[in-house]
Amino acid sequence: MPIPVIDLADAREPGAPGSAAAARILRTAATDSGFFYVRHHGVPDEMIGRQFKLARRLLDLPATTRQRLSIRHSPIMRGFEGLGEQTLDAAARPDLKESFYCGMVYPADHPYVKAGYQTYGPNQWPEEIPEAPAVCEAYIQAMLALSRRLMNLLALSLDLPESYFDATSESPMITLRMIRYPPHPADADERTFGAGAHTDWGALTILAQDQHGGLEVQTPGGQWIEATPMPGTFVVNLGDMIPRWTNGLYHSNPHRVRNHYSSGAPRYSIPFFYEPDYFARIEAVPGTVAPGEMPRFAACTAGEHLREMYRKTYATA
């Protein structure tokens, strides 16, 4: 089954006439691979292009700058990550990618910041690019609005009120990541990937990818298919919180990356990770557990879930 496309032209606002149709397509995608494209999403092309330009500038900074601002110096893992510092698939070699992480800005007196919860706290910015904080914050706010709208449609797809998940988004956990994948080595073995097979940890991932391609999605039947770049779209996938929230009805499927672009150029991608409020309760929503049956997953908070995922893939987390 190909990855479906959801057109948001008539479904951008609560109660919009195209909302029901968009929710039906989302349900089809969610019960299959958990991946779909969105078009007419309302995020300007100029904003996306500006973010890719910033990604290139950040990842072209000198090694000394990137090491000084490494995520290893940040308790909430903000800053630069070098090649091979993450291994998403424990059976594969370290990932062939490097990246820069930042997140939503919360005031220093916010209780979650004061408590030191994961993803809440200061970013690390290079002095060489003074406009970087403003560019990233604008993009984060645009993507947060889109994420909240997609959560509305997710609720509709489950026959729940459109506003069902709104209360879980009061102080969301937000991570923006800009990634560069070097060309795939010609002599690489079958255990070498730009990003090893993995599922994402949170609720939604909204991905802007360049024209090079390389993202592969595993279908429920075990086949790997390409998420080919489509102009004017984002690729969206459901993270591991969604199966918990839907008692396994909706899927969070594995995906991986290999940069096989023929020119030997690097591949850039910009994933935006939306997670709900740290204390949002992740448990089966109404209508997903049959009478007399027990939920398939133990209830937890979003923060508990995300903390465990970091521990699994980062030695210092």
Side-chain angles (χ1 to χ4, degrees), residues 130-216:
E131 68 273 27
V135 171
C136 289
E137 182 63 17
Y139 190 79
I140 284 170
Q141 290 301 322
M143 301 304 282
L144 177 57
L146 177 57
S147 298
R148 286 172 167 155
R149 182 59 191 143
L150 291 173
M151 292 301 292
N152 292 158
L153 296 175
L154 187 77
L156 281 181
S157 77
L158 292 161
D159 298 320
L160 297 170
E162 203 165 3
S163 61
Y164 183 85
F165 293 110
D166 286 1
T168 69
S169 185
E170 183 175 345
S171 295
M173 297 182 284
I174 299 299
T175 299
L176 176 64
R177 187 177 187 183
M178 287 160 275
I179 307 176
R180 177 167 65 188
Y181 297 89
H184 202 72
D187 59 350
D189 62 20
E190 70 281 359
R191 295 173 55 232
T192 301
F193 297 92
H198 66 285
T199 56
D200 288 344
W201 306 335
L204 299 174
T205 302
I206 305 177
L207 176 72
Q209 55 176 340
D210 67 14
Q211 74 277 16
H212 294 178
L215 174 62
E216 300 175 350

Side-chain angles (χ1 to χ4, degrees), residues 18-31:
S19 297
R24 284 194 295 271
I25 300 173
L26 195 159
R27 184 181 179 95
T28 298
T31 54

Side-chain angles (χ1 to χ4, degrees), residues 3 37 214-217 224-228:
I3 299 172
Y37 296 90
L215 174 62
E216 300 175 350
V217 177
W224 289 94
I225 60 174
E226 292 189 16
T228 304

Side-chain angles (χ1 to χ4, degrees), residues 40-202:
H40 297 131
H41 40 68
V43 182
D45 289 343
E46 294 78 10
M47 177 177 283
I48 300 168
R50 186 163 62 245
Q51 203 64 40
F52 273 106
K53 288 179 182 177
L54 177 60
R56 292 181 176 89
R57 291 181 65 193
L58 284 166
L59 294 166
D60 278 341
L61 286 171
T64 52
T65 299
R66 286 181 280 153
Q67 290 165 3
R68 177 169 50 84
L69 300 177
S70 167
I71 60 172
R72 298 185 183 277
H73 305 317
S74 167
I76 59 167
M77 303 185 73
R78 300 299 189 218
F80 290 94
E81 177 186 67
L83 282 169
E85 290 186 13
Q86 187 179 41
T87 303
L88 287 168
D89 181 351
R93 300 188 187 281
D95 294 347
L96 289 178
K97 66 180 187 300
E98 53 190 337
S99 58
F100 179 83
Y101 291 84
C102 60
M104 192 167 168
V105 176
Y106 285 97
D109 61 353
H110 189 287
Y112 294 0
V113 176
K114 292 172 71 175
Y117 294 148
Q118 187 69 45
T119 80
Y120 298 93
N123 294 303
Q124 296 195 96
W125 298 110
E127 296 176 356
E128 297 93 326
I129 311 178
E131 68 273 27
V135 171
C136 289
E137 182 63 17
Y139 190 79
I140 284 170
Q141 290 301 322
M143 301 304 282
L144 177 57
L146 177 57
S147 298
R148 286 172 167 155
R149 182 59 191 143
L150 291 173
M151 292 301 292
N152 292 158
L153 296 175
L154 187 77
L156 281 181
S157 77
L158 292 161
D159 298 320
L160 297 170
E162 203 165 3
S163 61
Y164 183 85
F165 293 110
D166 286 1
T168 69
S169 185
E170 183 175 345
S171 295
M173 297 182 284
I174 299 299
T175 299
L176 176 64
R177 187 177 187 183
M178 287 160 275
I179 307 176
R180 177 167 65 188
Y181 297 89
H184 202 72
D187 59 350
D189 62 20
E190 70 281 359
R191 295 173 55 232
T192 301
F193 297 92
H198 66 285
T199 56
D200 288 344
W201 306 335

